[in-house]
Amino acid sequence: MLEQLVRDSQSLDRAIAGEELSYKDGLELMNYENQHILGAVADNARKKLVGDTVTFAASYYMNYTNVCAASCQMCAFYRKDGADDAYTLTPQEIEQRVGIAEQMGATEVHIVGGFHPTLPLEYYEDMMKVIKQKHPQLNIKALTAAEIYFLSKLTKNSTKEILSRLKTAGLDSMPGGGAELFHPDIRDKIVRGKCTGQQWLDVIEEAHNMGIQSNVTMLYGHIEKPEHIVDHLIKIRELQKKTNGFLTLIPLKFSLDNTELEQEHLVNNECSSLYDLRIIALSRLMLANVVNNISVYWVAYGKKLAQVALSNGGSDLVGTAFSEEIYRAAGKPTASSVEELATMVKEIGRSPAQRNTHFGILKHF
């Protein structure tokens, strides 16, 4: 059926055959005109890899501080130390919030923050120790590779030493933030004071080699070009071949409100829904047979578009965000429940399942 529809794309022919797509293929598909066919091919690849189950985790998002030494053009969340609305939580305050989230059904706590210029490494160790001591069943998914790199420079420890100490303190896995886009031509224009793309990859490779699996993100919909998207996906694919440590790719739609890119009129509108679907589909096809899961971040899409994205190659919903302050800072709604996500999945004829951090199924609906 698909073979009959695809008559004008050797790249899609190769995708249907299950072949690895090249950089040239990726560029062709970024410019492929028929999104319906592209999405159908990607969804076929999804079905072969993971079937018709759509997963999601009950996750508590915790931002331990909004103080950040960086000042990225695409971020509405950061504050400078001393600002009226700057905050830094104590490990005890964090644990209290985590306890409430566990009572609400969370199976993981997702902890990220800014690049705080004065917090010592012991702060992060104490945070994880107190959480793990009082909530041993919770998966601590904490600190992006960019935060680890910043801590390395701040404390003059190697990134490997920091990862080792945090793992001993209770770190179970890592979120995928800070990846943004790896290519230096675009990265230098959307982040300021953050590690390079290669440094991010190097840190996450060290984490994977230590048994700390992670997610990986891709920020799109701002000032990137097709080649930056394809380059990012290929770099993810090549590292995954070495470590098999990525659990899922989460394409992140750039949220315009309150960011420097908006204020300087470099981006005046958020990207179209068709572009969102193209990114999901291309991600699935470029990473087929290497990264099993493509996560749809409904917080940025809204629930209706998220359903469509699940039919264009998506296999996972980034789950119940009991608190999500970064997207809230950019004006996005951020609350849902396990039952609501299960209903979203059922409405498109798929099978919902709650998962743990490492994609083990906890419950079918």
Side-chain angles (χ1 to χ4, degrees), residues 173-241:
S173 58
M174 290 173 65
E180 322 304 3
L181 285 170
F182 296 136
H183 198 291
D185 287 353
I186 191 67
R187 191 177 184 86
D188 292 345
K189 296 176 182 177
I190 61 172
V191 301
R192 186 186 295 118
K194 189 176 286 188
C195 62
T196 67
Q198 189 56 53
Q199 288 163 341
W200 191 98
L201 290 163
D202 290 343
V203 171
I204 216 71
E205 182 174 358
E206 285 184 331
H208 291 177
N209 289 337
M210 295 171 63
I212 304 169
Q213 291 184 299
S214 76
N215 299 338
V216 58
T217 59
M218 177 173 66
L219 186 72
Y220 72 90
H222 40 86
I223 57 174
E224 81 278 2
K225 296 179 180 178
E227 53 263 36
H228 302 132
I229 296 292
V230 178
D231 172 80
H232 193 85
L233 293 171
I234 288 177
K235 284 174 177 168
I236 292 169
R237 186 173 72 192
E238 293 310 302
L239 181 55
Q240 182 73 340
K241 289 178 184 177

Side-chain angles (χ1 to χ4, degrees), residues 150-192:
F150 175 79
L151 270 175
S152 171
K153 295 302 179 185
L154 181 68
T155 65
K156 296 181 171 57
N157 290 294
S158 69
T159 53
K160 188 174 183 180
E161 171 70 13
I162 289 172
L163 287 166
S164 177
R165 286 176 60 173
L166 293 179
K167 184 178 180 182
T168 299
L171 179 66
D172 296 305
S173 58
M174 290 173 65
E180 322 304 3
L181 285 170
F182 296 136
H183 198 291
D185 287 353
I186 191 67
R187 191 177 184 86
D188 292 345
K189 296 176 182 177
I190 61 172
V191 301
R192 186 186 295 118

Side-chain angles (χ1 to χ4, degrees), residues 37-49:
I37 293 177
L38 180 65
V41 174
D43 210 47
N44 184 61
R46 180 272 308 163
K47 189 166 186 175
K48 287 181 179 178
L49 280 169

Side-chain angles (χ1 to χ4, degrees), residues 54-56 307 310 317 320 336-354 363-365:
V54 176
T55 53
F56 46 83
Q307 288 176 314
L310 288 172
L317 286 168
T320 52
S336 189
S337 69
V338 167
E339 289 74 19
E340 285 176 294
L341 295 181
T343 298
M344 284 173 60
V345 174
K346 290 178 180 178
E347 285 175 349
I348 60 170
R350 301 267 286 281
S351 302
Q354 185 178 342
K363 180 183 179 181
H364 290 280
F365 293 82

